[in-house]
Amino acid sequence: EIATEDRAFKDNSPQIISKHSKYPLFSIEETLEPGTSILQFTATDDDYGPNSQITYEISSFQIVALNSFKGNLNQIKTSNFFTIIGNSGELKVNRQLVPNLEILINVTARDSAGLSDTVQIGIRVSDVNNHEPVFLRPFYSFDIEEGFHVSKILGSIQAIDDDFDDNANITYSIVNVDAAKFPFSIIPKTGLLKVSGLLDREQRA
């Protein structure tokens, strides 16, 4: 009886399925919890037995800030946002994500003889509208003389929103008043407070 032993040769190194000349780009939301599975990498090896066993690793990554990114890139550029399960190729979220980043990841598949192949993917972390606007000051106070006013600007009321792009757009409004009788109004997009009409200090200070 003759036993045939398989050996790993360079022409049988692991190959990533559906490898593209240009890396695919995926989009995920910033609210994904650590431990969430993102992708499944699969490689094939034409060897047999132990020589065909493949392990996966993130061999390198690069973090790129998009134009609307807020924050200090230097503080997070070495952060391991993702991890990969070595024996299955399952890519998971490793820590809390930061929005408006593009993360380029090189994943390497390696067999028991050290033969390997590497594929690159891109993951873009998109912003979720999950922050409430916050006023810059706890209250605002303005002084104005009595008399008749036409669209006189009293000042600016400002809030900030820690979301990005359209999710950070703020609209201002005055609520719970009769607009027809109330002499004050606010410009929705800018927060400028205006007065139009007659103000009589003796009638109302």
Side-chain angles (χ1 to χ4, degrees):
E1 184 174 297
I2 301 176
T4 303
E5 179 183 3
D6 176 66
R7 297 183 182 275
F9 295 93
K10 289 185 178 179
D11 59 348
N12 289 334
S13 59
Q15 299 294 315
I16 299 294
I17 293 177
S18 300
K19 183 176 180 180
H20 302 284
S21 57
K22 183 178 181 180
Y23 66 85
L25 181 64
F26 301 89
S27 179
I28 62 174
E29 294 184 342
E30 61 164 319
T31 51
L32 290 182
E33 294 291 334
T36 303
S37 295
I38 303 298
L39 293 170
Q40 179 81 45
F41 288 86
T42 304
T44 60
D45 194 312
D46 290 337
D47 292 309
Y48 298 93
N51 290 330
S52 66
Q53 292 180 359
I54 299 171
T55 57
Y56 303 85
E57 65 178 358
I58 296 176
S59 50
S60 65
F61 65 89
Q62 180 184 2
I63 299 177
V64 180
L66 302 180
N67 290 335
S68 52
F69 172 75
K70 299 176 183 177
N72 189 339
L73 183 62
N74 290 328
Q75 292 180 349
I76 60 173
K77 65 180 180 181
T78 59
S79 300
N80 296 319
F81 288 107
F82 302 98
T83 186
I84 196 166
I85 306 302
N87 59 359
S88 68
E90 187 178 5
L91 187 69
K92 292 187 173 185
V93 177
N94 188 49
R95 53 164 291 180
Q96 183 63 50
L97 298 171
V98 176
N100 283 28
L101 293 177
E102 190 167 297
I103 305 170
L104 304 180
I105 302 174
N106 288 320
V107 174
T108 297
R110 194 181 312 275
D111 67 11
S112 59
L115 302 176
S116 65
D117 190 24
T118 299
V119 67
Q120 185 179 73
I121 66 166
I123 297 179
R124 182 169 293 178
V125 184
S126 61
D127 179 56
V128 174
N129 195 350
N130 57 348
H131 293 92
E132 296 179 351
V134 177
F135 285 105
L136 295 178
R137 294 160 60 180
F139 67 92
Y140 290 80
S141 178
F142 303 98
D143 295 322
I144 187 173
E145 67 279 3
E146 65 178 354
F148 187 81
H149 302 277
V150 179
S151 295
K152 180 178 177 63
I153 295 178
L154 292 174
S156 177
I157 297 174
Q158 294 296 313
I160 58 173
D161 192 313
D162 285 336
D163 290 305
F164 296 82
D165 299 327
D166 291 341
N167 290 337
N169 289 340
I170 295 174
T171 300
Y172 301 88
S173 61
I174 299 176
V175 298
N176 299 328
V177 297
D178 185 349
K181 299 179 180 179
F182 195 66
F184 301 96
S185 63
I186 194 166
I187 300 177
K189 295 298 182 181
T190 63
L192 289 176
L193 186 66
K194 300 191 302 180
V195 57
S196 293
L198 179 63
L199 298 181
D200 187 342
R201 190 182 188 284
E202 284 68 38
Q203 184 180 28
R204 184 173 183 180

